[in-house]
Amino acid sequence: MTSNLLDPVILQTDFPDLQLHASGKVRDVYQLDKDRLLFVATDRISAFDYVLATGIPNKGRVLTQISLFWFDYLSDIVPNHVITADVERYPQVLRKYADQLRGRSIVVQLAEMFPVECVVRGYISGSAWKEYQATGKVCGIELPAGLRESEALPEPIFTPATKAVSGHDENIPFARMCEILGAETASYLRDLTLRIYKKAAAYARQRGIIIADTKFEFGRTAHGITLADEVLTPDSSRFWPAEKYEPGRSQESFDKQYVRDYLEEIRWNKQPPAPALPAEVANRTSEKYLDAYFQLTGRKLDV
């Protein structure tokens, strides 16, 4: 698949009569009323904790549509915060923005979010691989000796992290999560995270994608503990093509690793200002996001 590069790249949202609730590296969140938020996924891309000057065509649409797919697929395990992604059912105040919002936005229920990210790792890669090489552990969890880079772990492990407004999230031991949330809530979220990951990873594996690791965010609503934010996207997960998987090395991926590799090649010092990307790199990255969506869902991008 290739992206429709005629579509405009959305780096900023501008809805002057809406109240901005939060703006992240990718998403802008607007307060609709005391109970509802509007999530809008832009085409911004971040690497090494900085938002780059170049957007990725269709990225926000891919992230939104993949999350919607997973919210639906996992709804038998955990409720989610989605109210609707159908712009024809949006509040009247949003109707004039329908063309900008279609495909890249969701009206969601406001949730009281837990201040801990629920990270699960089924394979050893990235920062976990570096920590394992140095200590034989990941987030205080002792792992078998002799594991190779990108190798599947005997069982998925839960490695929570505290959320950072900017910069890297900080991995914390499970005991620290218990102190923050209480042991009962922390244990429930850990078990729920592992259950969700196992179901999603088994499905993705059948579709030719290995989900090496991912992170979930949960909050409380009237429905109880609720899955929120984004779910199992190439931004929040490591997606590897199963047909090319080979332990003992780093893996080709569907995520923004392609962008990170380019930035390493040009020897960017990882200080602001973040560089722009050549059109070739942006378009190739767009294709990777689109490929991930198509491979997972069997559908073309809903634009």
Side-chain angles (χ1 to χ4, degrees):
M1 294 181 64
T2 57
S3 55
N4 179 5
L5 302 182
L6 297 178
D7 286 349
V9 175
I10 306 297
L11 291 178
Q12 302 293 334
T13 59
D14 183 19
F15 308 120
D17 48 349
L18 300 182
Q19 178 185 346
L20 185 66
H21 177 77
S23 183
K25 292 175 181 174
V26 174
R27 284 169 188 77
D28 294 332
V29 182
Y30 294 87
Q31 185 101 33
L32 297 179
D33 53 39
K34 66 182 181 63
D35 297 316
R36 297 177 300 175
L37 300 173
L38 174 71
F39 274 43
V40 186
T42 71
D43 296 322
R44 297 191 294 261
I45 189 168
S46 67
F48 304 112
D49 298 321
Y50 291 97
V51 175
L52 305 186
T54 307
I56 304 302
N58 285 317
K59 178 173 179 281
R61 296 182 185 275
V62 170
L63 297 182
T64 300
Q65 298 304 316
I66 286 182
S67 285
L68 287 168
F69 168 80
W70 287 118
F71 279 131
D72 180 64
Y73 184 75
L74 299 167
S75 61
D76 63 329
I77 296 179
V78 60
N80 59 68
H81 69 163
V82 175
I83 296 174
T84 183
D86 181 356
V87 295
E88 307 306 325
R89 298 174 58 195
Y90 280 7
Q92 191 63 41
V93 68
L94 301 179
R95 298 293 176 83
K96 60 187 173 184
Y97 303 123
D99 289 345
Q100 295 159 264
L101 295 174
R102 186 172 286 107
R104 67 170 67 243
S105 65
I106 312 174
V107 173
V108 306
Q109 189 172 14
L110 179 63
E112 181 185 354
M113 300 300 292
F114 295 111
V116 174
E117 291 189 337
C118 293
V119 182
V120 57
R121 304 174 189 273
Y123 295 72
I124 189 159
S125 183
S127 61
W129 169 243
K130 293 178 182 177
E131 184 180 351
Y132 171 76
Q133 286 180 295
T135 67
K137 301 178 182 179
V138 173
C139 294
I141 301 171
E142 192 85 39
L143 295 177
L147 292 176
R148 296 169 292 169
E149 183 178 7
S150 305
E151 188 167 354
L153 297 170
E155 283 290 328
I157 59 174
F158 180 70
T159 59
T162 53
K163 298 179 183 179
V165 176
S166 62
H168 282 294
D169 296 335
E170 180 185 354
N171 293 336
I172 58 173
F174 179 68
R176 176 62 184 142
M177 182 176 174
C178 290
E179 292 173 359
I180 296 170
L181 301 182
E184 183 177 351
T185 298
S187 297
Y188 181 85
L189 290 176
R190 176 195 60 196
D191 296 347
L192 180 59
T193 295
L194 291 168
R195 187 179 171 199
I196 292 171
Y197 172 75
K198 288 176 181 178
K199 178 174 180 176
Y203 169 86
R205 195 68 171 81
Q206 294 174 347
R207 305 288 305 186
I209 291 178
I210 292 171
I211 303 176
D213 54 50
T214 192
K215 63 181 179 180
F216 300 109
E217 296 198 36
F218 298 95
R220 288 191 189 275
T221 70
H223 300 292
I225 288 179
T226 300
L227 183 60
D229 200 61
E230 65 178 320
V231 181
L232 291 156
T233 71
D235 270 20
S236 65
S237 320
R238 281 187 175 87
F239 285 179
W240 297 338
E243 63 181 9
K244 298 180 179 179
Y245 171 67
E246 182 182 339
R249 58 172 176 81
S250 61
Q251 306 297 309
E252 186 175 321
S253 68
F254 287 103
D255 59 24
K256 55 189 176 184
Q257 189 60 46
Y258 188 76
V259 170
R260 294 191 195 99
D261 291 345
Y262 165 77
L263 296 173
E264 294 284 15
E265 287 174 13
I266 65 171
R267 300 183 183 278
W268 175 42
N269 64 3
K270 303 180 181 64
Q271 297 296 319
L277 299 175
E280 177 186 355
V281 174
N283 293 343
R284 180 70 184 111
T285 304
S286 177
E287 290 168 5
K288 284 178 173 286
Y289 277 82
L290 286 160
D291 286 346
Y293 175 76
F294 181 76
Q295 195 156 333
L296 278 173
T297 68
R299 301 193 296 262
K300 292 184 178 180
L301 181 68
D302 177 15
V303 297

